[in-house]
Amino acid sequence: MSAESISEVMRDPVRPAAASLSEEKRTITVAVAGNPNSGKSTLINAIAGTRLHVGNWPGVTVEKKEALFEYEVKLIKLVDLPGTYSLSPYTQEEIITRDYLVHEMPDVIIDVMDATNLERNLYLTVQLLELDIPVIMALNMYDEAEKKGYTIDSNMMEEMLGVKIVPTIATRKAGLHDLLKAVVKLVDDPSSHHPKKLNYGEDIESAVSAVEKQLKDSYPSLAEKYPLRWLAFKFMEEDEHVQSELKISGDVLLIEDAVRHLKKAHEEDMESIMADARYAQAAGLTREVLKRPELRKTDLTEKIDRIALNRFLGIPLFLAAMWFMFKLTFDVSKPLGDWMNALTFGPFKRWAEALVGLIHAPAWMSSLVTDGVIAGVGSVLVFVPVIFAMMFFITFLEGSGYMARAAFVMDRAMHSIGLHGKSFIPMLLGFGCNVPAIYATRTLENQRDKALTALLIPLMSCGARLPVYVVFIGAFFPAYAGTVLWSLYVMGIALAIVMGLIFKRTLFKGEAPMFIMELPPYRLPSFKSLMIHTWEKGKHFLIKAGTYILAVSILVWFLLNLPWGVESKKDSYLGQVGQVVAPVLKPLGFGSWEAASSLMAGVIAKEIVVGTMGEIYVKKTGEEQSAVKPAFTADLIEIGTSFTTALRNSAENVFSTFGISSLSTKEDEKRSGLKSVLRTTFTPLSAYAFIVFVLLYMPCVVVAIAMRQEFGTWKWFGISFAYQMALAWLMAFVIYQGGTLLGIGG
Amino acid sequence: MGFSDIVWMGLIIAGTLYLLYRSVWKKKGHCAGCDSQSCVLKKYKM
Ligand SMILES: Nc1nc2c(ncn2[C@@H]2O[C@H](COP(=O)(O)OP(=O)(O)OP(=O)(O)O)[C@@H](O)[C@H]2O)c(=O)[nH]1
Ligand SMILES: [Mg+2]
């Protein structure tokens, strides 16, 4: 079969379930299971039009997700499960997937196979078949298997396993109709399904039948709840989860008997005996159905990896790639950010003022709108282009396959802190947002690794901190923007390793076991999927701006204006609290109440540091009335023309990053008000100390909640808060005082 | 400042506090990428 012959390509996602569908119609529940990185989430996105997170490394999906849609007047619920290599209960993903399959008993399992790794994938298939739930196999990544010159005899495989096999290419939506048709057929006519019972060898089979019989006789009710053969295997393997869940481990004479005999014959523990038997099945099947080309050429992935994974070049290359990414992020977004700035504090502000005037709102309310909401939320919103640019590069990195390589090259450094390279993936995800990164620690083997990684994640600079950096970098280091930005991210990683060393000696004694990281082939993400997932990530910041950043901006405005009629902002409630805290920050070079108050408000989310500064430094409405008030249409024209200029500049900047033309960083001095105020209150040195402080000073409230949710206690947040405050103060102190002593940037 | 101003301010502050509570605590900060249990599942229902 060739890729072209994979029936028709599915052009549009199937129709979302319509409300008109009668309620009583039964929903078909289809679990989508398979090895990590085999394309399960991509498949569901292609079928149901969802936007589940996909990425080219194993362990993207860490909890089950559902998508409901209508297909041929049937309601189908697809359940995306975390990828697993087996159904033994060791990692959290395995437990989530297994519990779902065993307890919820979906109508069908779609087993998504990576056709380029047949044997490893079949090992899981063999276990899925033990569950007695109808299985349909999607032979995914069929394009890549063909490219490698593999031929897979899927007819023979169908015959040997007795299950339907459909070749698919999830990224191109090929084969999906066939897959859904097979699902519907199976549900409509269960008798069409004749799975073969795999034979694990005489001794195992006779032992398992004995155990099965024993279970059936002693606990007849179990058969209704669990697949008995599977249960018998689990008892034989002494699976602790099953034992503790069913609490019948005391009654195991016969099981022990059967197992003792087997163990003696094989001279191994039961789990290994079973694993061997399953591997034998997977290997046997693969031998029968897979033909590989005699001559194997080295492919592009191997060529790239020879350099990217080189012992000496690996880490420098990683750092260089990061530098490049930050430089591009900054350069590309700069003109668009300036445009947004001009737009927000020019026309938008004017329109808002006009609108408030129109409804005859009291003076305080119009000040709340302009000096509170627009100054606060607006100051954050102008960083939307930077954040989207950053999320674009992160999405690209995620899709390319480099994430797993970064984990690989960092493996040695991570071992020095008692973790292994795998922990570096959640940390890298933290560059986007620390919250999903905390949840991504689920892919780690044990509680110790999880907790230690979660403690280090807040040191990874997230997108929310970018606005703070960009304002200060724009004001003080425009010529070295990319490098300064990069230094902050690298500092975060370096400090994570230092803190890891300290934690390893104190809270988390112990070594990480060796681990093998699967390295997927490099892939070029499609433009469409890049856009979708960049949007999904960036959207988060827009929602934040419209909800809690807005809320804090309003509260900050009140705190700056209470007690009512206060003359100077310094005497307001916020100013007073800021003055109490400021002396603590004095040795760090930014002991003003303005800085202190902004840092305190930033506890909710770090963008708010910028928003609050915007509100503090905004000139009172009326102070800066422009002489002429351009009309609405003139504004619109101005917005349009300035936008095209901004677009052109940012495109030019892409080339300049590659050294083809010169960087365009022209900006309108008048418009970047906040930056010019900052230049009068900070020095380059204290500015750098300040952004380092913002990088480190504490995880945001949402991360705290995520930590609490993931670990069930506030303990880790408490530790994180305490050490980060100390670290932030110390680092800013060293930078400011050290720099002053050396006479740099004072 | 009149009585109605105070009522308005009270309402705005209460609304803001509620918004803060809802988005930060209940919606767990609308976590990015929707990769946690705290997020609503994507349902294609219309
Ligand atoms: N060439 C090719 N690439 C694919 C295909 N299906 C998925 N991919 C790519 O494979 C990678 C993994 O896809 P995911 O959907 O995240 O895999 P998953 O099985 O959900 O992975 P986990 O959530 O980690 O278990 C992505 O980079 C996809 O673009 C396919 O049929 N052909
Ligand atoms: Mg997935």
Side-chain angles (χ1 to χ4, degrees), chain A residues 37-42 55 59-61 83 140-141 143-144 169-170 523:
Chain A
N37 211 40
S38 60
K40 299 174 293 299
S41 305
T42 312
V60 181
T61 307
N140 197 33
M141 313 245 175
D143 51 336
E144 291 193 353
I169 305 169
R523 294 189 172 110

Side-chain angles (χ1 to χ4, degrees), chain A residues 647-726:
Chain A
L647 265 188
R648 204 182 48 234
N649 285 343
S650 78
E652 273 169 12
N653 284 357
V654 176
F655 294 108
S656 75
T657 305
F658 290 93
I660 298 170
S661 73
S662 65
L663 197 64
S664 113
T665 47
K666 317 184 266 297
E667 67 173 280
D668 201 334
E669 275 302 318
K670 242 188 6 248
R671 274 166 178 164
S672 44
L674 185 53
K675 280 184 204 159
S676 40
V677 185
L678 290 178
R679 278 191 214 114
T680 63
T681 45
F682 284 82
T683 62
L685 187 62
S686 66
Y688 193 70
F690 185 80
I691 44 182
V692 168
F693 192 86
V694 170
L695 160 68
L696 302 171
Y697 83 112
M698 70 169 277
C700 72
V701 170
V702 185
V703 169
I705 295 172
M707 282 187 178
R708 170 31 244 279
Q709 191 187 351
E710 201 53 18
F711 296 102
T713 140
W714 288 108
K715 178 180 158 196
W716 302 115
F717 166 68
I719 295 172
S720 175
F721 179 84
Y723 96 78
Q724 284 190 255
M725 279 297 183

